[in-house]
Amino acid sequence: MQVVALSLRLRSVVKRALGYSFVRFLVVGGSSYLLVTSLTITMYEFFDFSERISAACGLFTAFCVNFLSIRFFVFSSTSPPVTQIGKFATASLSFRLCEFAGFSIFFGLGLHYILALTIPMVMGTICKYFFYRKFVFN
């Protein structure tokens, strides 16, 4: 019983602190991950693009899809999109460059290209939620 009560209290604290927007952000992030990895795998395995070109194309595609998903589905923002797109583009480009740098480092260290892509994307997703919530879609 104590475990259940603790679990319910913890869930309540997380829900108050983050709301459902974090869950929706994880859904968008998961979808984005599937988009990036499937595009990267397809370009590399079936069309003979390099791992780096494939990953870069996947990350760029996710950027385009994510703005609309995050703006309308996650944060339900009503602010003018013109101001948000600039902030989002700058933040996303910075995060994507960090993710690509992380991918390049891990891949250069010999990790499989999918694992090298996954590690920085997971780390970036958590950081992006808090950054977007505070600075872009507030």
Side-chain angles (χ1 to χ4, degrees), residues 57-119:
C57 289
L59 291 170
F60 177 76
T61 303
F63 162 79
C64 296
V65 171
N66 283 348
F67 175 74
L68 295 173
S69 300
I70 293 169
R71 176 176 161 70
F72 294 112
F73 178 64
V74 175
F75 295 113
S76 302
S77 180
T78 57
S79 298
V82 174
T83 58
Q84 290 178 339
I85 190 74
K87 292 178 186 178
F88 182 79
T90 302
S92 286
L93 180 61
S94 299
F95 279 113
R96 292 296 182 195
L97 287 173
C98 289
E99 289 169 355
F100 188 70
F103 163 76
S104 295
I105 290 167
F106 289 125
F107 184 67
L109 291 173
L111 266 67
H112 188 272
Y113 74 98
I114 295 301
L115 184 58
L117 188 63
T118 300
I119 293 169

Side-chain angles (χ1 to χ4, degrees), residues 14-15 17-30 73-75 122 125-130 133:
V14 170
K15 185 177 168 184
L18 300 175
Y20 289 109
S21 63
F22 187 69
V23 174
R24 289 190 301 262
F25 190 80
L26 291 178
V27 169
V28 170
F73 178 64
V74 175
F75 295 113
V122 168
T125 296
I126 295 166
C127 295
K128 280 185 266 192
Y129 172 77
F130 293 103
R133 186 175 80 168

Side-chain angles (χ1 to χ4, degrees), residues 35-51:
L35 175 66
V36 171
T37 53
S38 62
L39 187 58
T40 301
I41 290 168
T42 300
M43 289 179 67
Y44 175 69
E45 299 290 342
F46 299 109
F47 296 102
D48 293 326
F49 286 93
S50 74
E51 294 94 335

